[in-house]
């Protein structure tokens, strides 16, 4: 895909093979971008975020510990930086301004981190959580101690400790509240402004680990996905189930709602990018097979998401996918026409044989 067309992609997806895929849903096209020119599993993309230039730049976190810089204006990678220290893959990326000198600061967030999430309203605030690593809120411009440290819920009815496993986190708009989803199929709301460090609301969905959560445009509900590909909308005011969406064929890895339109992007291990229309009988708007297992996604938040201007295509040039499809249908129709006379001749011969057997004296006594 040309660089001029890359800026109009609606969704960017990171894959398990180290490819950054840009998907234009209006044109029904997907393009692959790699820094080295070849897919490499050791460069599997585990995290994506917009860069300092808004949607003109993407930061790509890879399994080899590098963060690559991709320009959507030019349609190419423009550089990378190695991030030393730590183990495992990136669990989140955040673009933060105000750190001069190019120095490195490290916050000790503990083991088993599953997600780091940045507050869109306060970019210097991030939250972390994981397996036996309770929710914490950090100020990247302040102390190396967390601003808020969640407290585990009370013991269960058998007086046994409830395990902690926060899989994903989101900040609620116009407040300090956060919502998490857990590996024990719980959705919890925390309020750091409250003296209570335990959840102020808890709901459960299904029986399987929840892997991703995203806020709906109104901010009053969230959509969660689990390891069995199920998607559901949960009301954050009463903790009740509002409805379910057509799910995936494998574990959900990435979810994101459009900030102003009732649209949801989802991806996962079934290698399919889906765009759902929330609370609409039609449900599924787009479905694109992308060949690789998908780990994360970025959904464009621009207002002209659906009615962007189309750039002129080369004259007399038909996309190869459409050409292959047309040739396939043409060959099937031709084959059907060739087989039709043979079928008619066979049926005619059978009917003639039946009529001959029914005639009197047609068989010897």
């Amino acid at each position: 895909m040309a660089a001029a067309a890359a800026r109009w992609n609606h969704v960017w997806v990171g894959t398990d093979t180290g490819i950054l895929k840009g998907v234009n849903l209006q044109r029904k096209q997907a393009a692959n971008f790699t820094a080295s020119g070849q897919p490499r599993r050791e460069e599997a993309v585990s995290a994506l975020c917009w860069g300092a230039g808004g949607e003109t730049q993407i930061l790509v976190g890879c399994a080899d510990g590098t963060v690559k810089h991709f320009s959507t204006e030019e349609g190419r990678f423009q550089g990378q930086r190695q991030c030393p220290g730590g183990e495992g893959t990136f669990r989140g990326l955040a673009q933060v301004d105000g750190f001069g000198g190019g120095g490195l600061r490290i916050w000790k967030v503990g083991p088993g981190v599953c997600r780091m999430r940045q507050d869109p309203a306060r970019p210097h605030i991030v939250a972390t959580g994981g397996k036996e690593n309770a929710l914490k809120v950090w100020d990247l411009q302040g102390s190396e101690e967390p601003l808020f440290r969640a407290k585990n819920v009370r013991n269960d009815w058998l007086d046994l400790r409830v395990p902690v496993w926060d899989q994903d986190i989101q900040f609620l708009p116009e407040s300090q509240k956060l919502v998490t989803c857990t590996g024990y199929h719980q959705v919890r709301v925390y309020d750091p402004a409250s003296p209570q460090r335990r959840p102020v609301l808890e709901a459960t969905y299904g029986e399987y680990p929840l892997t991703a959560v995203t806020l709906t445009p109104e901010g009053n509900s969230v959509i969660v996905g689990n390891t069995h590909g199920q998607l559901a909308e949960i009301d954050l005011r009463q903790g009740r189930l509002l409805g379910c969406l057509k799910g995936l064929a494998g574990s959900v890895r990435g979810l994101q709602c459009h900030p102003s339109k009732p649209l949801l992007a989802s991806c996962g291990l079934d290698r399919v990018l889906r765009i759902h229309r929330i609370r609409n009988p039609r449900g599924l708007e787009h479905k694109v097979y992308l060949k690789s297992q998908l780990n994360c996604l970025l959904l464009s938040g621009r207002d002209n998401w659906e009615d962007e201007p189309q750039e002129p295509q080369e004259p007399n040039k038909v996309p190869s996918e459409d050409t292959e499809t047309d040739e396939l249908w043409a060959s099937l129709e031709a084959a059907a026409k060739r087989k039709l006379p043979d079928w008619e001749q066979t049926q005619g011969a059978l009917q003639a044989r039946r009529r001959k057997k029914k005639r009197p004296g047609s068989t010897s006594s």
Side-chain angles (χ1 to χ4, degrees), residues 107-114 128-133 136 138:
W107 283 261
K108 297 180 180 179
V109 298
V113 173
C114 294
T128 62
K131 195 162 189 177
E132 295 305 327
N133 192 329
K136 301 179 185 69
W138 309 81

Side-chain angles (χ1 to χ4, degrees), residues 39-62:
R40 299 175 57 193
R41 287 195 176 274
E42 55 268 30
E43 297 179 0
V45 180
S46 58
L48 296 172
C49 79
W50 299 116
E55 296 194 4
T56 63
Q57 300 174 2
I58 299 176
L59 298 181
V60 182
C62 301

Side-chain angles (χ1 to χ4, degrees), residues 115-117 125-129 135-138 169 171 178:
R115 181 69 65 204
M116 183 200 75
R117 184 74 67 181
I125 301 295
V126 299
T128 62
L135 173 70
K136 301 179 185 69
V137 179
W138 309 81
I169 309 165
F171 285 86
L178 303 94

